[in-house]
Amino acid sequence: MGLLQLLKTQFLCHLIICYVFVLSGLIVNVLQLCTLPLWFVNKQLARRINVRLCYCISSQMVAVLEWWSGSECTLYTDPKSYPLYGKENAIVVLNHSFEIDFLCGWTFCERFGVLGSSKVLAKKELAYVPVIGWMWYFLEIVFCKRKWEEDRRTVAQDLQNLKDYPEKFWFLLYCEGTRFTPKKHQISMKVAETKGLAKLKYHLLPRTKGFWVTVQNLRGSAAAVYDSTLNFRNNETPTLLGILNGKKYHADLYVRRIPLESIPEDEAECAAWLHKLYQEKDSFQEQYAQTGHYPGPIMSPSRRPWTLINWLFWSCLLLYPLGLLLAQLISSGSMLTILASVAFCSAASLGVRWMIGQTEINKGSSYGNKEVTLNNN
Ligand SMILES: CC/C=C\C/C=C\C/C=C\C/C=C\C/C=C\C/C=C\CCC(=O)SCCNC(=O)CCNC(=O)[C@H](O)C(C)(C)COP(=O)(O)OP(=O)(O)OC[C@H]1O[C@@H](n2cnc3c(N)ncnc32)[C@H](O)[C@@H]1OP(=O)(O)O
Ligand SMILES: CCCCCCCCCCCCCCCC(=O)OC[C@@H](O)COP(=O)(O)O
């Protein structure tokens, strides 16, 4: 292991990265709060400012992936669709099997210039995660309780609000609704069987209602669905802690652009269309498992310097006062102050560890874990 690689595994480095992330994030959250009055005067300007503020936060995580861990992301896609990426609004449908799949998604957002504005249909619990969840509130992220009776109205309304969004965005949908585990897979395949649907090997059975409501409400504002299938080389199961430890992963993403007009408007037909899409996605994963690559040519967009520049900016801004504070603390010689500071840092570390835990599959929700009784008529 080289010296630099060894340095990346050191807890102190992780502490510094997390300190910059959390403090800059909280500053951004406060700045976002300050944009609230502007919403009533000039909503589009407030939205544009929030896109840039959100970029300050999400791009730090992308920087850790791209520059700190040096992970690589390869895009397989049709060269004719490629020039349209980042130039139109789109609904992205992605498999949900990896702890850092959202981060790989963000990397592609960054490379196509839509990182600050991109959105997701997210579970409500994430709205309470400090920094990220709070920033999402101002980004008009659509949250759901994963209870259709309660979600049907709010999700549709929130999607309608995006119709006049002033910046290009990608709207991410994990139709599986939760992350893949063997147990959830087994249960969802029982549901598939009851419904007479083909079994999937690499995906959970997709939930169709969120997809249908998204397509219907973004018609006219989104141009296409980007069917995206993600996997990692060498059967890796990447984690956020692995990234922080400087572990390099190699992600492969296969994207097909499907014009929105070609998706059925009728709910039942749209659901059948999505089930067929997931059967195709499953066959792409099978091909990946067999050959180590997806169909189609590689069109890799390269990483841009902006995430690194933003990260260095916040680091310089926040590490200098931290250094001064530490020097003052040590020179004060007060045991009580030092102990209080150590206690504060330990509590903050635990807080960040909890945030990282949100990405961990073994700490995931029980959604999709319970047997359901269905009748197939
Ligand atoms: C060029 C590059 C291209 C791409 C780059 C890639 C990506 C970048 C893009 C953007 C990035 C932006 C942001 C990313 C940042 C961070 C993201 C982080 C995480 C957030 C993700 C989440 O929180 S995922 C969880 C929340 N989201 C969802 O759940 C979405 C999917 N769910 C739905 O659509 C649901 O329908 C619902 C939530 C709207 C409602 O759920 P509910 O459970 O109430 O209802 P359902 O109707 O779905 O369920 C009942 C029906 O389902 C059947 N059923 C029962 N049990 C199961 C089972 N185990 N599996 C499957 N189906 C089941 C049941 O029979 C009912 O069937 P019906 O026939 O009656 O429908
Ligand atoms: C700069 C790096 C510093 C690192 C600090 C920690 C950052 C923590 C960021 C938390 C981001 C949370 C995003 C989680 C996305 C996710 O994957 O959510 C899971 C849901 O889809 C489904 O949930 P489930 O039903 O539980 O599978």
Side-chain angles (χ1 to χ4, degrees), residues 75 85 92 94 96 102 105-106 108-109 112 118-123 126 136 144 146-148 151 170 172-178 184 187-188 191 195 205-211 226 228 253 255 367-368 372 374:
L75 178 65
Y85 299 155
V92 176
L94 184 63
H96 208 7
F102 76 97
W106 265 351
F108 284 101
C109 290
F112 290 100
S118 281
K119 316 201 183 296
V120 59
L121 177 54
K123 59 176 181 178
L126 291 174
W136 276 348
C144 62
R146 294 188 283 191
K147 291 186 185 125
W148 179 241
D151 290 333
W170 290 348
L172 175 63
L173 249 180
Y174 290 113
C175 296
E176 291 158 90
T178 187
K184 289 181 182 184
I187 291 173
S188 84
V191 177
K195 290 186 169 183
L205 189 68
R207 311 273 181 158
T208 57
K209 293 197 174 71
F211 178 73
Y226 294 170
S228 308
L253 183 75
V255 180
Y367 181 75
V372 278
L374 299 164

Side-chain angles (χ1 to χ4, degrees), residues 35 39 82 95 116 127 138 143 149 190 232 249 294 296 309 330:
T35 65
W39 282 82
Y82 188 83
N95 53 310
F138 293 93
F143 290 105
E149 285 318 311
K190 276 192 196 156
F232 287 83
Y249 299 106
Y294 288 119
I309 292 170
I330 292 163

Side-chain angles (χ1 to χ4, degrees), residues 90-109:
I91 300 166
V92 176
V93 171
L94 184 63
N95 53 310
H96 208 7
S97 332
F98 303 101
E99 293 188 357
I100 59 156
D101 50 22
F102 76 97
L103 196 47
C104 293
W106 265 351
T107 303
F108 284 101
C109 290

Side-chain angles (χ1 to χ4, degrees), residues 14 17-22 57-65 96 98-103 106 120-123 125-126 129-133 136 146 174 177-181 184 204 240 243-244 311 351-361 363-368:
H14 306 160
I17 293 174
C18 292
Y19 158 80
V20 173
F21 176 77
V22 172
I57 299 180
S58 40
S59 80
Q60 283 185 49
M61 292 190 67
V62 174
V64 172
L65 180 81
H96 208 7
F98 303 101
E99 293 188 357
I100 59 156
D101 50 22
F102 76 97
L103 196 47
W106 265 351
V120 59
L121 177 54
K123 59 176 181 178
E125 294 84 331
L126 291 174
V129 175
V131 178
I132 296 264
W136 276 348
R146 294 188 283 191
Y174 290 113
T178 187
R179 284 160 300 180
F180 187 103
T181 67
K184 289 181 182 184
L204 304 178
L240 194 52
I243 299 281
L244 270 177
W311 196 28
V352 175
R353 186 63 192 83
W354 175 82
M355 284 163 74
I356 293 173
Q358 298 300 305
T359 65
E360 291 171 355
I361 295 179
K363 296 198 180 110
S365 72
S366 61
Y367 181 75

